[in-house]
Amino acid sequence: MAAILLIEDDPLVRRGLQLALARHGHDVRTAETGEDGLREFHSATPDLVVLDLMLPGIDGIEVCRRIRQAGTAPVVMLTARGDDFDIVGGLAAGADDYVVKPVQPTVLDARIRAVLRRGNGVTDGVRAHRDLRIDTVALTVTLHGEQVMLTPTELRLLLTLSRAPGRVFSRQQLLEEVWEHDYLGDSRLVDNCVQRLRAKIEASPASPEYVQTVRGFGYRFGPV
């Protein structure tokens, strides 16, 4: 069972998803505006946030950005249109996944469980790469001795790349290993997560030392 915060302004959708997710075993709190959602997030400390993009007042992208600044709880965003601009904006703001409405509760539950699994099932040990240390037991990352706060998806991406320094992973391979779904080749999930990860661990994200782009192929963890 996961503690989930559902931020959705449509009362019928909100109530329907709350009841459906509760039937799947989750403890679901709800909020109908961005402001209420942020207050609930800070008071309830949920395991995951399901966030509608189209909210009155503070919109979903800004809510996602503030949630990401405040903690590491994963965010699954809901978008009614499947519009590329909305999806890219939400991913850039820090969302871990997205679902286009209307969505079947069983599908949403599966995506929630997949997101929550991403921080689990890693191998033991500490991986040290120059000034970056990745503890795969405690699931912590430190840079220059200071802890780096990563979302579960960012951590899973870093763990996947760093297990084989120098190996090139295609975007599709990363989708399958990190997101655990095909997503019909939607590489935006990978590219946006890489950008967020670089912003946290690279001295110069434009010239990355750790998460490097291999043009035309994918990404690799920089050789030590």
Side-chain angles (χ1 to χ4, degrees), residues 4-198:
I4 294 174
L5 172 59
L6 170 63
I7 308 175
E8 164 64 60
D9 66 311
D10 186 313
L12 293 178
V13 174
R14 185 173 65 250
R15 184 59 176 163
L17 289 179
Q18 181 184 25
L19 292 173
L21 291 175
R23 285 196 296 269
H24 281 88
H26 302 293
D27 178 17
V28 185
R29 293 181 177 230
T30 66
E32 61 180 308
T33 68
E35 292 86 348
D36 289 343
L38 288 171
R39 282 192 291 269
E40 191 70 27
F41 174 79
H42 289 294
S43 65
T45 60
D47 297 318
L48 181 141
V49 179
V50 177
L51 172 64
D52 184 28
L53 235 61
M54 303 298 291
L55 294 172
I58 303 175
D59 67 17
I61 289 178
E62 180 60 26
V63 172
C64 183
R65 188 176 294 113
R66 295 189 192 184
I67 287 174
R68 189 54 63 238
Q69 291 172 347
T72 61
V75 176
V76 175
M77 66 179 189
L78 300 174
T79 174
R81 298 189 301 271
D83 183 84
D84 283 353
F85 179 81
D86 286 344
I87 291 170
V88 171
L91 294 174
D96 295 271
D97 197 0
Y98 68 89
V99 179
V100 178
K101 295 191 293 185
V103 58
Q104 291 296 321
T106 53
V107 173
L108 180 58
D109 174 64
R111 302 287 272 271
I112 287 170
R113 293 178 187 275
V115 168
L116 292 172
R117 284 198 305 268
R118 289 171 197 164
N120 299 325
V122 300
T123 57
D124 293 348
V126 175
R127 301 169 188 169
H129 305 272
R130 298 189 177 95
D131 297 315
L132 186 70
R133 290 176 62 84
I134 305 164
D135 189 326
T136 63
V137 177
L139 298 181
T140 58
V141 176
T142 57
L143 182 65
H144 305 297
E146 297 291 330
Q147 186 169 352
V148 181
M149 301 303 294
L150 301 180
T151 67
T153 306
E154 292 162 358
L155 177 60
R156 185 65 178 263
L157 177 62
L158 182 59
L159 289 166
T160 299
L161 291 170
S162 66
R163 75 167 184 250
R167 173 186 167 185
V168 178
F169 290 82
S170 70
R171 289 172 174 82
Q172 190 60 38
Q173 287 174 316
L174 292 172
L175 280 170
E176 293 170 0
E177 294 201 33
V178 177
W179 281 263
E180 302 178 354
H181 286 282
D182 188 343
Y183 285 109
L184 301 177
D186 191 348
S187 62
R188 292 172 298 188
L189 285 169
V190 179
D191 295 337
N192 279 278
C193 191
V194 165
Q195 291 176 14
R196 300 198 309 268
L197 179 59
R198 282 174 173 167

